Amino acid sequence: MKIIIVGGVAGGATAAARLRRLDNNAEILLIERGEFVSFANCGLPYYLGGEISSRDALFVSDIKTIRGKYDIDIRNFSEVTRINKEEKTVEITNLKDGTKYTENYDKLLLSTGSSPFVPNIKGKDAPNVFTLWNIPDTDRIYNYIQDNKPKRALVVGGGFIGIEMAENLRERGLDVTLVEFADQIMPPFDKDMTQVLENHMRTKGVHLMLNTGLASIEKDGRLAVMNDGTEVETDMILLSIGVRPNSKLAVDASLEVGSKGGIIVDERMKTSDDSIYAIGDVIEIYNPLSKSKGMIPLAGPANKQGRAVAANMLNQKEETYDGTIGTSVAKIFDMTAASTGLNEKVLKSMGKERWKDYGIALIHPMSHAGYYPGATPITLKLLFDMTDGLILGAQIVGFKGVDKRIDTIATSIHYRGTVYDLVKIELAYAPPYSSAKDPVNMAGYVACNIIEGLSTPITYDEYKEKEDEYTLIDIREEPEFSMSTLDGALLMPLTTLRSKLGELDKEKEYVTYCAVGLRGYLAERILKQEGFKVKYLQGGTRTFFERSRDVKTAESASMMFTDQDKFETHQQETYTLNACGLSCPGPIVSVSKKMSELKDGDILSIEATDPGFMNDIGSWCSNTGNLLIEKSEDKGKYVAKIQKGSNFAENRQEQGKEVSAKEKTMIVFDGDLDKAIASFIIATGSAAMGNKVNMFFTFWGLNIIRKDEKINVKKDTIGKMFGMMMPRGSKKLSLSKMNFCGIGSKMMRAVMKKKGISSLEELIEEARSQGVKMTACQMSMDVMGITKEELLDGVEIGGVASMLDDNDHSNMNLFI
């Protein structure tokens, strides 16, 4: 038997290998249009980002090895241009010399894959406009970055490749903007889940433009114009808008194709012609949940199809491919996002033709036992049939343990599992890996309660549609309520709820809520059994905060007051608090208890793994009169340093002064690396919270905003001497302590990079992009012989009057 395979990579190469394993005598011919037959296209973004250091690591196997192991006739740089079904021949063109010839076949396998979709817009052929799909694409992008050293990149499209490229270009130090036509990134996910990812990408320095499309590319690829008229200057553009099946061969051969151009095949991967089969991105895939067909360009299904089709083509046995439910996972910086099955958007579009109704279980468990160090939160959304509990889909976002949970649920879906199976399923448990009640079990418990009527949850969207009909009950504790609450909510902590039932009206409809949902459910159960009409808010304030800005959150104490005379004078002490593994309100309650033991002016350093802690601690400090000195995040661990200041709060109240100004001023006198980093963390944090930020650089602080390169300007002798002795730009700054002739600063930068902390240069660029005003002191420039040409672009020149004017409008004046 002679078998011709058109196209290699995932599907074609897998099929060729198994064909040989099943039949050592078959004549197998593989035709590949490109140079490479088998490579890891999923790894391409990570090679460009430097995570994969060797280009050779991308190649699964080379042609020489495949020929030697499998005795397959491989012809690369060759293209099949026509299929003659009646004669059972294909016409082939050698792309190197242009020669054409014909080969006959007994069975033909089409594995032609897909190609990136490029819109027909002006400027799409500019030399700095790229797509990423194969090795030549990768080489072009890699060489462009190496040769041109771009500083800005525009990624068009928020799917898997677009997100991965945005991350990896950002890891290379580029200023990245991602444009997405839809109102969310990651199409397999629902918007309530993607907002977590979008916020995370923003914290990593990626600029997101949602609900925005690319209209044209101008100025030789240096300017992108959006459909709303917005212009984005850039050094390179990556188009990742989507893919289209390479089905022209099939169409020209009159094979049956679907509405989206994918080749239609049966469960044996056979096309409408008995001798022609097709696999991979070029075919339409059956979804056993939706009972429909669609395009799912994933490597996993292509490999499985390649294995199954081999036995069918040889007529040795029937191996059916039962379809794809679309299980996927993606790395988004240090977060992981995974999905399987159907999402809520698809379920809504299907109406109630297939399911009478579907339910949602939304939970925020920890990745492993909270008392074991390193536990981080997970957001898990489970969709199920309300009639029989059939699992319809799931989406999970978190830092750890996401992949194994989605695989567990995907396996359950494959075997037609229900939410009751998730309750019963036995999963491995030890404190470093999971909890006695694994998040998968917990999702099952919640879903079962909903089906059985023990609980009636309400989602954020459902609440917002009819919010005037409900009365909110905040069942969190006093310290949490003091940080923030929802408009009109009654405060009834769960610990005292039973004693306050007489204050409620059984004619009203209530919605209970807490931080993540668990206590809201407990309160719901209490009230329901007492005859009240009540629902609980799914996901609690954590989900609500992600979806809405309608929260009375006090201005964050990241404004960082420095009036130290407001504090009692005593020997200042520093304490630590490990709140890792605690779910909200655990971290804040622990902070409140610990702070009550400290004296005014003492400092408390807190570590936590609850993502809401970063917002909560600022609000808590502001409302309790304490000082938030700094806060940071690294791979799911959150650190905050606060200073106790009850006297400061009392003095502020006595003076009748409200802290309402949204303007901060910083005088940067010092030029040490560590202090410069601290200055810009404060500046960018303040700007991110809506503050106008003014930075006034004087004396040694001027070195922070000097350009790295030498600028040819005229100076007198003293000016030249200062220029030689002072560091030129931020990259030359030394540490204030433990510098060790420059080794310390290099160690500091290395540690910051390893921990995912932005470098000083990235912080400066972020500050500039946020509109932070940087002013250089004219008097200091004159004394030290620094000219305006030597300073970073955009730095203003001013004197003491400018600085004092900024101070007069600010409610924070910080001297560094």
Side-chain angles (χ1 to χ4, degrees), residues 57 106 167 227 436 461 600 636 697 729 733:
D106 295 308
E167 173 190 347
N227 56 3
D461 291 321
D600 290 352
F697 295 85
L733 301 181

Side-chain angles (χ1 to χ4, degrees), residues 519-725:
R519 288 174 295 162
Y521 162 68
L522 297 177
E524 179 201 19
R525 291 298 304 147
I526 293 172
L527 294 175
K528 270 190 173 181
Q529 294 178 77
E530 294 296 329
F532 292 95
K533 293 180 286 187
V534 60
K535 301 176 181 179
Y536 87 93
L537 184 64
Q538 277 205 335
T541 56
R542 181 177 299 175
T543 296
F544 200 99
F545 288 2
E546 292 285 352
R547 300 294 309 277
S548 171
R549 300 302 181 202
D550 299 330
V551 180
K552 296 188 300 183
T553 305
E555 185 178 11
S556 172
S558 61
M559 59 185 68
M560 303 180 190
F561 299 100
T562 57
D563 293 338
Q564 294 298 322
D565 59 317
K566 303 295 185 181
F567 297 91
E568 283 187 10
T569 58
H570 76 285
Q571 184 63 40
Q572 186 184 83
E573 299 288 345
T574 299
Y575 300 86
T576 60
L577 174 66
N578 188 341
C580 293
L582 298 179
S583 297
C584 192
I588 289 298
V589 171
S590 297
V591 169
S592 181
K593 290 180 180 178
K594 186 67 178 178
M595 288 293 281
S596 66
E597 303 171 2
L598 307 185
K599 298 179 180 179
D600 290 352
D602 284 345
I603 292 174
L604 179 64
S605 178
I606 313 111
E607 288 188 358
T609 49
D610 175 31
F613 174 74
M614 295 306 277
N615 289 326
D616 292 347
I617 191 63
S619 300
W620 182 84
C621 284
S622 180
N623 279 273
T624 56
N626 295 291
L627 172 67
L628 177 61
I629 299 173
E630 62 183 37
K631 59 183 180 179
S632 61
E633 179 269 331
D634 180 40
K635 298 181 179 179
K637 179 174 285 189
Y638 307 92
V639 179
K641 185 177 289 186
I642 61 178
Q643 187 170 27
K644 185 170 181 178
S646 60
N647 281 0
F648 173 69
E650 293 170 2
N651 288 340
R652 184 175 63 174
Q653 291 175 357
E654 290 173 1
Q655 296 166 6
K657 296 179 179 179
E658 288 296 327
V659 181
S660 58
K662 298 289 287 184
E663 188 165 349
K664 319 295 177 194
T665 294
M666 301 166 59
I667 302 171
V668 186
F669 172 86
D670 204 294
D672 293 324
L673 174 62
D674 41 350
K675 296 174 184 175
I677 292 171
S679 300
F680 277 93
I681 288 175
I682 297 170
T684 54
S686 298
M689 295 189 66
N691 292 275
K692 179 184 177 183
V693 181
N694 313 301
M695 300 184 76
F696 188 82
F697 295 85
T698 182
F699 283 98
W700 313 114
L702 291 169
N703 293 314
I704 302 172
I705 54 173
R706 290 181 68 190
K707 294 178 179 176
D708 296 331
E709 67 271 21
K710 184 177 180 181
I711 306 299
N712 292 321
V713 291
K714 291 184 178 180
K715 293 186 178 184
D716 57 24
T717 303
I718 299 298
K720 291 179 181 179
M721 291 177 64
F722 267 111
M724 294 172 61
M725 292 186 292

Side-chain angles (χ1 to χ4, degrees), residues 63-133:
I63 292 177
K64 182 179 179 181
T65 301
I66 297 174
R67 283 172 177 163
K69 290 172 65 174
Y70 299 105
D71 188 26
I72 294 173
D73 183 0
I74 299 176
R75 303 177 191 176
N76 60 343
F77 295 114
S78 298
E79 181 178 11
V80 174
T81 57
R82 182 177 177 81
I83 301 171
N84 302 306
K85 292 188 301 182
E86 291 73 16
E87 295 83 3
K88 298 180 73 170
T89 63
V90 293
E91 298 176 12
I92 303 171
T93 299
N94 185 318
L95 299 179
K96 285 187 173 181
D97 57 21
T99 58
K100 300 179 180 182
Y101 60 97
T102 300
E103 289 280 355
N104 66 295
Y105 63 84
D106 295 308
K107 295 290 177 66
L108 179 65
L109 175 62
L110 300 180
S111 180
T112 48
S114 58
S115 298
F117 170 70
V118 178
N120 187 24
I121 59 174
K122 179 183 177 182
K124 64 183 178 63
D125 297 321
N128 64 336
V129 178
F130 307 94
T131 58
L132 179 64
W133 203 242

